[in-house]
Amino acid sequence: MTPTRHDLAFDVTLYHGCAEDVLPSLPPASLDAVITDPPYSSGGQFRGDRAQPTRAKYQSTDTKTLFAEFAGDSRDQRAYLLWSAQWMRAALDATKPGGFLCVFCDWRQLPATSDAIQVAGWTWRGIIPWDKRNARPQPDRPRNQCEYVLWATHGAHPSKPGPGVRYHAGLLSAPAPSTSQRTISTQKPESILRDLVALAPPGGLVCDPFLGSGTTAAACLAMGRRFVGCEFTAAHFAHARERIEAALAAR
């Protein structure tokens, strides 16, 4: 579908459409950071597992609330890598030299995501673990308590001590939102996104090409950064827009 643009404020623009269509349309070298939680086609080691509805993959069996499905989460690993490299390359073209990329993934997609970052031309810098604290217990084995943020820069990024320099955590820790706080099954805590948004300079422009519940946008509004984002799934776009409009009205 052709993306539709929604200017909610002078510093917030949303697109209802595919990231693959929206990112190439953004002005070159206009973004300070791309911070996103894409559908990473995980939730199972085998094709039959990946092809399950996202509700089955990412929600506990005893959860009563059923969240709307989201698209693009059933690719095999080769397709996921190629697709990721495609949108990451478009994101690179839209990002200023020295700008940041932060991408969430889980342990299954860690190798493919790091490959995609480098294929797309970003300079891969490291991994920031996110300790979820409240991960589901696993009988007779360690729980999968962490997800990961792979971060990269568009080429060189200055990093020297001096006046005005900022320091950032290399480990994030916060429980995943409770069911009552979510509008999407894989929603991330806003406190984690605030830590990542802080990588962009005050007043800088942050892009989330997979808007989901709108958490990155909410973090940008709280942190004084401008925002542009897009979402393909209609239900999630509507929820995110409602959340962002409420945050705009409250400031």
Side-chain angles (χ1 to χ4, degrees), residues 19-160:
E20 299 94 309
D21 295 326
V22 173
L23 287 169
S25 72
L26 299 179
S30 60
L31 306 175
D32 292 282
V34 177
I35 301 172
T36 192
D37 179 24
Y40 33 83
S41 298
S42 192
Q45 289 182 284
F46 306 103
R47 182 183 180 280
D49 299 325
R50 289 192 302 272
Q52 293 184 85
T54 54
R55 292 170 180 167
K57 288 194 286 186
Y58 302 121
Q59 289 188 245
S60 302
T61 55
D62 58 352
T63 300
K64 295 181 180 179
T65 303
L66 293 178
F67 299 108
E69 295 292 316
F70 54 87
D73 200 66
S74 59
R75 297 177 177 89
D76 65 27
Q77 200 161 66
R78 291 178 66 190
Y80 165 80
L81 193 157
L82 292 170
W83 169 77
S84 296
Q86 178 186 11
W87 72 257
M88 288 178 186
R89 178 65 205 191
L92 180 75
D93 292 340
T95 302
K96 297 174 182 177
F100 287 91
L101 171 69
C102 296
V103 184
F104 281 89
C105 75
D106 71 354
W107 65 271
R108 295 183 184 92
Q109 297 292 40
L110 198 59
T113 305
S114 66
D115 287 347
I117 286 171
Q118 295 168 89
V119 168
W122 292 87
T123 302
W124 184 30
R125 298 292 185 180
I127 299 172
I128 308 169
W130 166 38
D131 176 8
K132 296 186 285 186
R133 300 186 197 167
N134 57 356
R136 281 181 276 180
Q138 300 286 331
D140 296 322
R141 57 179 172 170
R143 66 176 68 191
N144 292 322
Q145 189 162 330
C146 288
E147 291 187 33
Y148 307 94
V149 178
L150 277 68
W151 72 280
T153 58
H154 186 171
H157 182 83
S159 179
K160 294 182 179 179

